[in-house]
Amino acid sequence: MTRRGRADVAVVGGGVVGAACALALSRLDLDVVLIEANEPAPWDPATPDLRVYAFAPDSAALLDGLDAWRDVCAARAQPYRRMRVWDAASAGELVFDADAYGRRELGWIVEHGLLVDRLWTGLRRSAVTVRCPARVEALALRDDGVELRLDDGARIAARIAVAADGAESTLRALAGLEVDRRDYAQSGVVAYVDTEASHEATAWQRFLPGGPLAFLPCADGTSSIVWTLPDGAAREVLALEDAAFARALTRAFDARLGAATPRSRRVAFPLRRQLAQRYLAGRVLVVGDAAHVVHPLAGQGVNLGLRDVAALRDVVADAKTRKAEWDAPQRLARWARTRRSENAVAAHAFDGINRMFSNDGVAATLLRGPLLGLVGTMPPLLAAFWRRAGGKSSAAEGR
């Protein structure tokens, strides 16, 4: 079953964060088992995935260390050199430019399905034991580890278990880790569109009273949109004929890139903020969406999850360098406190931005333009915004 009888780590969930976690820990010579309910479908370049990420430099560096990033870029990843953010109710505008930070790009727009596909290619070549299809049905917590019972009756013993099985995490629930939820009463409408003007390798975002509208540049010249709307308005937008949708979208975006034309179907997903109250129960850790779900306006969800993984990798690597116990309770507790604190700050910051800009109240409207202008004219504030969005790592720079 494993190289050593009992695994060091059982990772539950094989999405981007879970697969990256399994690979990263396996490369530190830990015996890792990955448990996933459904093997992902192969990535199809002819059918772009509607779920895309604004991938940050530190996330790219993590995947580069797993020998996956080069393959992602070779397949389809669009670098973006600029971010432009403005408000529909004011003249304020915030601009980030790669040149100002001495970089070729600020980040990359990448499809979820492509990332999963390339990470699973890495899993098949690695020492990770993959149990798929398999679901966790029961958990036993012990002083020195955990035991997972799978739906086929198999039992997996491990020194730690990592819940990376999404926002409705089964393992998190079995471990008794509770979450705080806030429903935004908003939905994100996503689709691909053509525009008259080039996207200019720029990530665009306009704040509207109902929520932000983002146009993200794609490698084939199209743009991936994420249009945050109140739930009722989102249903109305989904029901529009293509021509009417194109007019509404172009108007909402102030025709910044000329007329927009739909290139794909439209779907909507509900938005909420969700934070696990604790990231550790005994020897069960939570990462990614199992630990935190944030508003998509900053495109940071997957980046926060990969930072959970990078931090855990660093804890293990540091312990091994010191010839110490990598899974000592105090080490795991320190990781959990640090990651929850950083993710909570990010989640509440995104929540505050959404409240401020998705608001047509007089006071909020009067404040928004000066706020964007203030950030844009003060380099330290601009740099702070960029560090939060882009991560601190430079290992992937120059690609």
Side-chain angles (χ1 to χ4, degrees):
M1 182 184 301
T2 66
R3 286 177 289 154
R4 299 165 187 158
R6 180 179 77 156
D8 292 315
V9 184
V11 178
V12 180
V16 174
V17 173
C21 185
L23 284 170
L25 296 182
S26 176
R27 284 180 172 241
L28 295 173
D29 197 33
L30 296 185
D31 194 359
V32 180
V33 178
L34 176 71
I35 302 162
E36 168 55 39
N38 301 293
E39 184 165 350
W43 177 68
D44 180 4
T47 309
D49 193 336
L50 288 175
R51 187 175 178 184
V52 303
Y53 302 120
F55 220 61
D58 58 338
S59 295
L62 175 63
L63 264 63
D64 195 40
L66 303 177
D67 296 329
W69 183 242
R70 192 176 302 275
D71 289 342
V72 170
C73 289
R76 188 159 66 202
Q78 171 64 46
Y80 62 94
R81 292 185 46 77
R82 286 169 296 278
M83 296 173 63
R84 303 185 74 96
V85 182
W86 75 103
D87 178 43
S90 69
E93 182 166 347
L94 187 59
V95 179
F96 300 93
D97 192 296
D99 290 341
Y101 301 98
R103 294 184 49 84
R104 293 183 183 179
E105 64 282 303
L106 296 178
W108 298 261
I109 305 302
V110 190
E111 297 161 53
H112 168 84
L114 172 58
L115 289 168
V116 173
D117 183 89
R118 295 307 188 259
L119 286 166
W120 272 68
T121 297
L123 285 171
R124 296 183 185 102
R125 297 170 179 165
S126 74
V128 175
T129 300
V130 177
R131 299 295 301 264
C132 179
R135 298 175 186 272
V136 174
E137 287 193 334
L139 165 70
L141 292 173
R142 312 193 190 289
D143 290 342
D144 62 347
V146 302
E147 185 177 89
L148 305 176
R149 191 184 77 228
L150 308 186
D151 56 356
D152 62 2
R155 295 178 184 272
I156 303 291
R159 291 171 70 171
I160 67 169
V162 178
D165 48 343
E168 304 303 325
S169 170
T170 297
L171 182 56
R172 183 191 66 216
L174 290 171
L177 291 168
E178 297 184 352
V179 297
D180 295 323
R181 291 185 178 91
R182 179 176 185 269
D183 188 344
Y184 288 115
Q186 293 174 317
S187 295
V189 176
V190 297
Y192 287 98
V193 300
D194 284 321
T195 54
E196 284 185 306
S198 166
H199 56 51
E200 301 176 8
T202 298
W204 309 79
Q205 184 155 269
R206 188 186 195 206
F207 285 103
L208 298 156
L213 169 58
F215 274 54
L216 305 177
C218 298
D220 60 358
T222 64
S223 294
S224 168
I225 67 156
V226 184
W227 192 355
T228 299
L229 291 160
D231 290 333
R235 288 190 291 270
E236 293 174 3
V237 163
L238 290 179
L240 292 174
E241 297 292 334
D242 279 356
F245 171 70
R247 290 191 297 271
L249 180 64
T250 301
R251 184 169 57 251
F253 203 59
D254 199 27
R256 193 73 176 247
L257 298 177
T261 305
R263 274 283 299 271
S264 74
R265 64 192 177 98
R266 283 161 263 152
V267 300
F269 55 94
L271 304 182
R272 70 178 185 269
R273 184 191 70 211
Q274 179 173 292
L275 294 171
Q277 294 177 0
R278 295 180 294 131
Y279 280 19
L280 179 67
R283 289 179 167 269
V284 176
L285 294 72
V286 291
V287 299
D289 284 357
H292 43 77
V293 176
V294 300
H295 197 285
L297 66 87
Q300 289 297 291
V302 73
N303 295 315
L304 294 177
L306 290 174
R307 286 167 196 157
D308 296 339
V309 171
L312 182 59
R313 175 205 59 191
D314 292 348
V315 165
V316 174
D318 178 71
K320 283 180 164 286
T321 298
R322 298 171 182 271
K323 301 187 183 306
E325 288 294 320
W326 62 268
D327 61 338
Q330 64 269 23
R331 288 182 182 273
L332 301 181
R334 189 180 310 118
W335 169 88
R337 287 194 304 270
T338 301
R339 291 311 305 153
R340 190 186 187 283
S341 175
E342 292 187 6
N343 289 328
V345 168
H348 287 290
F350 303 152
D351 184 64
I353 293 170
N354 182 54
R355 285 171 179 261
M356 169 65 75
F357 287 92
S358 301
N359 186 328
D360 57 2
V362 174
T365 301
L366 290 174
L367 283 172
R368 291 199 296 258
L371 177 61
L372 285 178
L374 175 65
V375 173
T377 58
M378 296 184 66
L381 285 179
L382 198 65
F385 268 61
W386 162 241
R387 283 195 300 272
R388 173 61 64 183
K392 299 176 182 178
S393 174
S394 60
E397 290 186 11
R399 297 200 173 276

